[in-house]
Amino acid sequence: METYVVVRVHGLLQHLLKAEDYEALLRGEALWSLPEYTSISPEDSVRDFLSKIDEVMIGRLTFLMKLQSAYTGLITAFADRLEVENLKVKLRELYSARGKYDVYSSYSHFIPLEKLLRAETEEELWELTRETPYQPEEKGILEGDLQLKEAYLDSRYYAYLKASVPRRERKALGELIHLEGLIPAVYWMIVLGSEKVAELIEKGILKGFKHPSVRKTSLGNYLATLRVRKEEAERLIEESEISVLMRVLRSNLLEILRGEARRAQLASQYLYYYLTLVKNERDNLQKIVIGQALGLDREKIRQTLVLPF
């Protein structure tokens, strides 16, 4: 059944957007002109646009979950990042820091969305995470600030995602997920301080960001593992171009995943490449919609996109 799932993925990949589709959207072509996005209407609000883009990703992942294979747990865990995003949106809301375009996904797995929406205090939110992979193991983390709590949720998610990999796949696929986990680790090192986050990783508090093949946890080593020179990263950080740096990191990861998928065309690496492309398409489209709503110029938006090869 696992081979059948990957064979289906080969076909499904043909329905994903290509670089020229993004260029057309940046030139002003309507999103609803694309076959997968006809549910979008020109009368929709920006938040409706974002939600309907989200629904396409959910539909694609749900289809694969229903095929019932040894990969179902992995696919479900991949989708559960949407639930973690919902938790982070609710946290920001409770801190009066929710962004204008922070929207809730309709996806839920461990935590019913209606219960999350009804939570009025942070205590209620953390209570909802009990007996889920997101439940805090370090009680002291709940006394930290908003950004530290968001970093902790990201770390908890990646620890859970890594554990979802079928045992026989952990050497090849596990390495790729370890690489992916370095991207949020780098982001939080920039936001919270590289030494502080590295220390929390080494202490096991942010264990989801730990990469077993990186001898010493540091911003420079994590960047090097993702094929980015520290000097280039420091320049982008100094120029307040963190979104561009994140795009470079994600683009490098996608290139690595593509290489692994080509070498293992009937294995889990190919499946994970597809899953990543699905999320990448969702992220790209949401960035285009938000960027256009904010009146950003075409090149500025393009700099944040991870275009498929």
Side-chain angles (χ1 to χ4, degrees), residues 57-244:
M57 174 178 171
I58 294 169
R60 285 166 166 165
L61 299 183
T62 301
F63 172 79
L64 291 175
M65 290 180 212
K66 289 179 178 178
L67 294 181
Q68 291 300 314
S69 70
Y71 297 143
T72 300
L74 169 66
I75 298 165
T76 302
F78 188 93
D80 286 347
R81 64 187 63 208
L82 297 175
E83 187 165 62
V84 173
E85 288 181 14
N86 280 346
L87 284 168
K88 290 163 70 176
V89 170
K90 172 55 75 170
L91 259 181
R92 293 180 205 131
E93 187 178 297
L94 293 172
Y95 276 77
S96 300
R98 181 180 174 187
K100 182 178 181 180
Y101 298 122
D102 283 345
V103 297
Y104 286 101
S105 169
S106 65
Y107 177 87
S108 64
H109 177 202
F110 296 104
I111 303 171
L113 181 58
E114 59 273 17
K115 288 188 177 181
L116 180 62
L117 294 176
R118 286 201 303 267
E120 295 182 351
T121 67
E122 196 175 337
E123 183 180 2
E124 291 177 18
L125 181 148
W126 294 116
E127 180 64 24
L128 289 173
T129 68
R130 286 185 62 187
E131 299 182 10
T132 76
Y134 327 128
Q135 179 178 357
E137 291 182 334
E138 302 287 338
K139 299 304 180 184
I141 207 76
L142 302 184
E143 300 172 5
D145 60 19
L146 172 61
Q147 291 176 329
L148 181 57
K149 290 169 185 174
E150 288 195 49
Y152 187 72
L153 281 171
D154 283 343
S155 170
R156 293 291 291 160
Y157 170 72
Y158 275 96
Y160 159 55
L161 179 62
K162 293 170 187 178
S164 74
V165 178
R167 186 173 299 277
R168 71 174 186 273
E169 309 280 355
R170 287 186 179 174
K171 183 176 181 181
L173 183 55
E175 172 63 21
L176 299 179
I177 297 176
H178 280 303
L179 277 176
E180 183 188 332
L182 296 186
I183 296 176
V186 166
Y187 174 79
W188 290 117
M189 283 179 172
I190 294 169
V191 171
L192 296 172
S194 59
E195 291 184 4
K196 176 181 179 178
V197 172
E199 181 181 0
L200 292 172
I201 293 171
E202 288 301 314
K203 287 182 175 179
I205 296 172
L206 297 180
K207 63 182 179 182
F209 297 151
K210 179 71 175 175
H211 194 304
S213 300
V214 177
R215 187 174 62 178
K216 181 182 179 182
T217 299
S218 70
L219 177 59
N221 286 343
Y222 276 17
L223 288 167
T225 305
L226 286 164
R227 303 176 181 176
V228 174
R229 292 185 301 107
K230 187 178 180 182
E231 294 76 16
E232 176 63 13
E234 288 175 342
R235 180 185 66 79
L236 290 171
I237 294 168
E238 186 176 332
E239 295 173 358
S240 298
E241 294 286 4
I242 296 175
S243 61
V244 176

Side-chain angles (χ1 to χ4, degrees), residues 269-283:
Q269 295 95 307
Y270 200 96
L271 168 64
Y272 203 80
Y273 175 54
Y274 171 75
L275 297 177
T276 303
L277 285 173
V278 167
K279 181 180 182 295
N280 186 61
E281 179 173 303
R282 174 257 202 177
D283 292 346

